[in-house]
Amino acid sequence: MEQIFKNKVIIITGSTFGIGKTTALAFAARGAKVVLSDYLPDEDTEKTIKENGNDAIFVKCDVSKEEDVRNLVAATVAHYGRLDFCFNNAGIEGTPAPATDCTNENWDRTININLKGVWYCMKYQIPEMLKTGGGSIVNNASIAGLVGFGNMPAYVASKHGVVGLTKNVALDYAKQGIRVNAVCPGVIHTPMIDRFTGGDQAAIEQLKAGKPMGRIGQPEEIAETVVFLCSDGASFITGQAIAVDGGWTVQ
């Protein structure tokens, strides 16, 4: 695979499972030095990357805690000397319920991880990118950041917030060489979807039936979108929220 990111450094939050893990492997395969990050240890992904002859480190981080995020960025620069790309992917779905039944605890936890966590990340990532002339940030939003979904008030609010924050920061730093975009996955086959469906095949088929393409997306399809957004091929793209959803939101 072409080493388009050779000697470049990327931070990926939420790298232990699903989209984050798959994206980490995609960047490593293209020569990037990958800083894996999650609130849980992740020896497996780091081991896989190194066995394939590429470079990675793991830094434990709860993105809802500012000091953790500060340490993540500092550890990255201390180890690799620079920061070029970031995929702010960490997020949770929260507990489904109508707005009036959403608990304060669920609201705060979902917003703190999904939205405040993305803000914390960019707050500390951008100054390091500026030192080397710029970079590219991709925030993981959701189609729930583009349209509404019932029974998920905190999740939908957080993902709409990520899209708005992405647009704002893109404008703030466009002239300084930093591009900021959001990827908005539809239904992707990840542990989150497994939790949502409980492995029930009828529920899975129902999800497939709602998609114009008639299938659920794969983590690799999100990873390749993030790769593109960080590549020179996307050099004139910033402030965008790109749906990768099999056509769901255009129905």
Side-chain angles (χ1 to χ4, degrees):
M1 188 170 289
E2 187 178 359
Q3 303 288 284
I4 61 172
F5 297 139
K6 186 175 177 61
N7 297 322
K8 300 292 187 179
V9 179
I10 183 170
I11 289 174
I12 298 178
T13 65
S15 63
T16 301
F17 305 106
I19 290 170
K21 180 174 183 175
T22 303
T23 304
L25 297 175
F27 272 84
R30 290 166 171 85
K33 302 177 190 300
V34 182
V35 180
L36 306 162
S37 177
D38 215 314
Y39 74 102
L40 295 171
D42 184 22
E43 295 178 2
D44 179 63
T45 308
E46 182 181 359
K47 181 181 177 181
T48 300
I49 289 173
K50 289 180 175 178
E51 285 177 346
N52 289 331
N54 298 303
D55 195 355
I57 61 170
F58 177 82
V59 180
K60 187 176 180 181
C61 176
D62 177 346
V63 296
S64 69
K65 298 177 179 177
E66 184 173 9
E67 191 56 36
D68 275 21
V69 176
R70 191 201 318 264
N71 177 65
L72 168 62
V73 176
T76 298
V77 176
H79 191 83
Y80 289 121
R82 62 184 295 129
L83 179 59
D84 302 283
F85 311 127
C86 299
F87 180 37
N88 297 320
N89 165 70
I92 61 170
E93 67 269 36
T95 304
T100 54
D101 295 327
C102 178
T103 65
N104 291 357
E105 180 184 21
N106 178 58
W107 178 272
D108 289 344
R109 182 167 182 263
T110 304
I111 295 294
N112 286 346
I113 293 173
N114 291 4
L115 179 55
K116 185 181 282 188
V118 170
W119 171 58
Y120 280 154
C121 284
M122 291 195 289
K123 180 178 179 179
Y124 291 100
Q125 292 161 355
I126 288 171
E128 294 302 329
M129 289 183 167
L130 291 173
K131 292 176 183 178
T132 54
S136 177
I137 296 172
V138 181
N139 298 320
N140 198 357
S142 166
I143 54 173
L146 302 174
V147 296
F149 283 85
N151 291 322
M152 301 183 75
Y155 183 78
V156 171
S158 71
K159 293 302 185 177
H160 272 70
V162 169
V163 170
L165 181 61
T166 296
K167 294 176 180 180
N168 172 260
V169 178
L171 290 175
D172 285 345
Y173 293 95
K175 291 182 179 178
Q176 294 169 268
I178 295 177
R179 296 186 296 105
V180 187
N181 292 288
V183 63
C184 299
V187 179
I188 307 297
H189 191 194
T190 64
M192 183 182 291
I193 292 302
D194 291 338
R195 289 193 298 270
F196 182 75
T197 63
D200 180 64
Q201 193 57 42
I204 294 171
E205 291 303 318
Q206 187 176 8
L207 288 175
K208 290 180 181 179
K211 309 292 175 293
M213 287 188 175
R215 66 175 178 85
I216 291 175
Q218 297 301 314
E220 290 79 7
E221 292 172 302
I222 305 304
E224 291 301 318
T225 304
V226 179
V227 166
F228 169 68
L229 288 172
C230 288
S231 73
D232 290 343
S235 59
F236 202 50
I237 300 175
T238 196
Q240 301 304 306
I242 298 176
V244 186
D245 65 353
W248 194 89
T249 54
V250 298
Q251 296 183 100

